[in-house]
Amino acid sequence: MTIDDWLRVASADAAQRRLPDLEPLLKALAAATRSLRAAEWNQHAAGRPQRDPLTPP
Amino acid sequence: MLLSPDAPIQRLAAAIERAEVSVREVVDASLDRVEARNTTLNAFTQVLSDRSRVAADRADREIAAGHYRGPLHGIPISIKDLIDVAGTPTTAASHVADRSPAPSDAPVVARLREAGAIVIGKCNLHEFAFGTTGEDSAFGPTRHPLDPQRSPGGSSSGSAVSVADGMVTASIGTDTGGSIRIPAAACGLVGLKPTFDELPCHGIVPLAPSLDHVGPLTRSVADARLLFAAMRGATGAPAPTTPVTRRLGCPRPYFLDVLDAEVREIFDTALTRLGSSEWMVRDSPVRYGHDTATVCLHLVLSEATAVHASSLDTQAESYTEGVRLRLELGRYVLGEDYARAQRGRAVLTHAVDAALVGHDALVLPTLAIPAWPLGTETVDVGGRPISVRNVTLRLTQLFNATGHPAISIPCGCTTGGLPVGLQLVGRRGHTDHLLHVAEACETVLACR
């Protein structure tokens, strides 16, 4: 699920649950998740990081 | 009486052992201070006056009979109200928590009692320890002893205030993102978060079980060492100590990027003083340190929400608003992102281990800002607005995720008289070595 799709679904769910104050927190979480997914140490099936930080050089 | 509860434990202990002061006198002084100050500071949720006097009289009888238990015999302590004390409810400062009395002491409390400590009462906190200010509490906010209009930091807010104001000699708190070290720094105390899993968290309401730690808040490193040894008990043999090499690594990138100007100046001065005392401080960056906040956020939200899921379903309205919203937010973290955060935790743990190579400890500030006014949501740090929650967690939460032991010691005060803390981070499993290092640094930086 892309972050944009996730945010749309999560915001709609929060609105349905009458939690409007959750909206800014969901946006902040989306930004943090975007940063998490962009971290260079993530593993990807289509390719590995140039150097795995957990593997000794 | 010669000594009050804010005396160093060794001094108080020597006077108690020699019967220069009775335990009852010490406990009465502690209770008198609580009575005089708690209305203003709101540090305690429960004061165990009758019980602590009974325990004090028993402690005096033991000494008279020649059974002296050691340096914690008769020492008045407080316990964060997230930790079970037999016969008292563990409120977690919430209207949600079960208010029936705990059937037994948490192991860390039982061990402290076995060592002779007297439990004076249970301390206020940020609800369920899920916050860094001590403001969101079913009992109302805890207030800073130097300025009641300011936050003492949290979540172990009442624990810190009870020690800093001289109500008790030491306190026990918990730390999931900095909740011992943050209030210790804000109140001018020593706060120790040991290595992960070194002290048992049984009998303690969890927040995020893979990040939760328990530890002491005290007025000196020597006092913290005594409490830590007692809490570890007979089963947890300390790791062999290695000589202190007087080499510290400073992880500047990320960790020193966002600092209040006075905190930066005081921290720099502390490093200069250490350098003048034959300590070598070298730059030692933590690789991927800039990923700390995002990794920790996904870990703590997911785990805290898992712990609170059933209460959220049935009693959501009973939580304070801020805590409820953060718990609700955790319901939206995807499993794939929790897995990424776990990978990030492993990478960061490796990075902290690498930064520690060749050093006794890493050195950095504990808290990027001095104690802030109650009710503040955002502060300006170096011209940059940042939420109080984010800025207070910024320098401490990494070591909850990686499990490294970390301690905050006082290193100076702002021109307004507010304390600033210096944080030392040691190798995993070597909390005793970290305490040696901290004691040596404390001697150089002594500002009391």
Side-chain angles (χ1 to χ4, degrees):
Chain A
M1 180 181 265
T2 68
I3 292 171
D4 288 341
D5 289 343
W6 166 84
L7 182 57
R8 206 165 22 250
V9 171
S11 297
D13 184 66
Q16 189 190 358
R17 296 175 59 220
R18 295 178 186 168
L19 292 170
D21 292 344
L22 212 47
E23 181 67 20
L25 298 184
L26 285 167
K27 285 181 177 161
L29 178 59
T33 303
R34 204 165 268 123
S35 166
L36 180 73
R37 292 185 183 186
E40 68 176 80
W41 38 259
N42 276 310
Q43 293 171 312
H44 302 289
R48 292 173 176 279
Q50 286 190 326
R51 191 178 78 74
D52 188 335
L54 296 178
T55 305
Chain B
M1 193 176 93
L2 300 172
L3 294 165
S4 62
D6 62 357
I9 290 179
Q10 291 286 15
R11 213 168 125 219
L12 201 49
I16 288 171
E17 185 180 14
R18 291 195 295 260
E20 292 169 4
V21 63
S22 70
V23 175
R24 179 61 185 262
E25 285 177 297
V26 173
V27 166
D28 279 344
S30 175
L31 291 168
D32 287 349
R33 182 75 180 171
V34 173
E35 190 176 346
R37 295 285 286 165
N38 196 49
T39 306
T40 303
L41 301 178
N42 203 21
F44 282 85
T45 57
Q46 304 170 63
V47 182
L48 308 175
S49 309
D50 293 343
R51 279 200 207 189
S52 54
R53 288 193 174 104
V54 168
D57 291 343
R58 188 169 53 240
D60 280 328
R61 287 196 300 275
E62 286 180 348
I63 292 170
H67 178 44
Y68 179 67
R69 291 172 182 256
L72 295 185
H73 194 130
I75 300 299
I77 64 169
S78 62
I79 306 289
K80 185 177 187 176
D81 199 359
L82 193 70
I83 303 172
D84 283 351
V85 170
T88 70
T90 302
T91 71
S94 179
H95 293 299
V96 174
D98 177 6
R99 293 291 176 98
S100 58
S104 58
D105 286 336
V108 290
V109 174
R111 290 170 185 176
L112 286 163
R113 280 202 217 263
E114 184 62 28
I118 310 281
V119 177
I120 295 294
K122 301 191 74 178
C123 285
N124 205 354
L125 64 147
H126 205 108
E127 185 183 25
F128 282 113
F130 203 7
T132 58
T133 67
E135 287 184 62
D136 292 343
S137 162
F139 298 91
T142 317
R143 296 175 180 277
H144 197 290
L146 296 174
D147 178 354
Q149 300 308 313
R150 290 180 185 271
S151 166
S155 65
S156 306
S157 49
S159 287
V161 172
S162 69
V163 180
D165 199 61
M167 299 174 183
V168 292
T169 307
S171 189
I172 305 305
T174 63
D175 190 319
T176 301
S179 285
I180 288 172
R181 291 161 288 158
I182 291 166
C187 293
L189 298 174
V190 171
L192 171 67
K193 180 201 82 68
T195 303
F196 180 73
D197 212 20
E198 203 164 13
L199 298 178
C201 284
H202 306 303
I204 301 175
V205 179
L207 174 56
S210 79
L211 306 168
D212 291 343
H213 298 66
V214 59
L217 293 101
T218 58
R219 299 177 71 83
S220 69
V221 179
D223 286 2
R225 182 200 300 282
L226 286 171
L227 271 286
F228 174 59
M231 293 166 78
R232 185 163 50 191
T235 54
T241 54
T242 50
V244 174
T245 63
R246 293 179 174 249
R247 288 183 185 164
L248 300 173
C250 182
R252 290 183 183 276
Y254 174 75
F255 296 96
L256 271 62
D257 290 352
V258 179
L259 283 185
D260 169 85
E262 273 197 283
V263 170
R264 185 184 299 281
E265 188 183 330
I266 291 164
F267 177 71
D268 286 345
T269 301
L271 295 192
T272 303
R273 290 172 68 187
L274 287 167
S276 305
S277 300
E278 299 179 0
W279 285 80
M280 182 186 289
V281 183
R282 297 182 298 199
D283 286 0
S284 187
V286 172
R287 199 166 182 218
Y288 305 113
H290 56 273
D291 291 323
T292 295
T294 187
V295 167
C296 291
L297 179 70
H298 288 81
L299 295 175
V300 75
L301 284 180
S302 304
E303 294 191 19
T305 300
V307 168
H308 285 270
S310 62
S311 302
L312 274 177
D313 286 343
T314 57
Q315 308 176 63
E317 305 296 332
S318 298
Y319 288 91
T320 59
E321 189 187 353
V323 169
R324 181 196 173 182
L325 283 174
R326 281 197 291 284
L327 291 170
E328 294 281 7
L329 185 64
R331 296 190 135 159
Y332 296 96
V333 176
L334 297 180
E336 63 177 278
D337 294 316
Y338 182 73
R340 288 186 180 99
Q342 288 287 21
R343 162 96 178 153
R345 180 211 292 256
V347 167
L348 285 165
T349 302
H350 187 269
V352 175
D353 286 342
L356 278 162
V357 171
H359 301 112
D360 286 316
L362 299 180
V363 60
L364 63 161
T366 309
L367 186 55
I369 55 173
W372 55 95
L374 288 166
T376 305
E377 291 190 0
T378 303
V379 289
D380 186 294
V381 183
R384 174 176 165 179
I386 183 166
S387 78
V388 166
R389 178 171 173 79
N390 288 347
V391 77
T392 49
L393 289 168
R394 187 176 171 92
L395 306 179
T396 50
Q397 62 184 343
L398 172 60
F399 311 109
N400 294 81
T402 66
H404 291 82
I407 188 168
S408 181
I409 62 175
C411 69
C413 287
T414 65
T415 49
L418 296 171
V420 172
L422 176 138
Q423 185 176 204
L424 295 159
V425 181
R427 295 189 299 279
R428 284 180 287 157
H430 293 269
T431 306
D432 287 283
H433 183 71
L434 178 66
L435 285 162
H436 283 301
V437 173
E439 204 158 16
C441 291
E442 180 186 50
T443 304
V444 176
L445 302 173
C447 54
R448 285 193 175 280

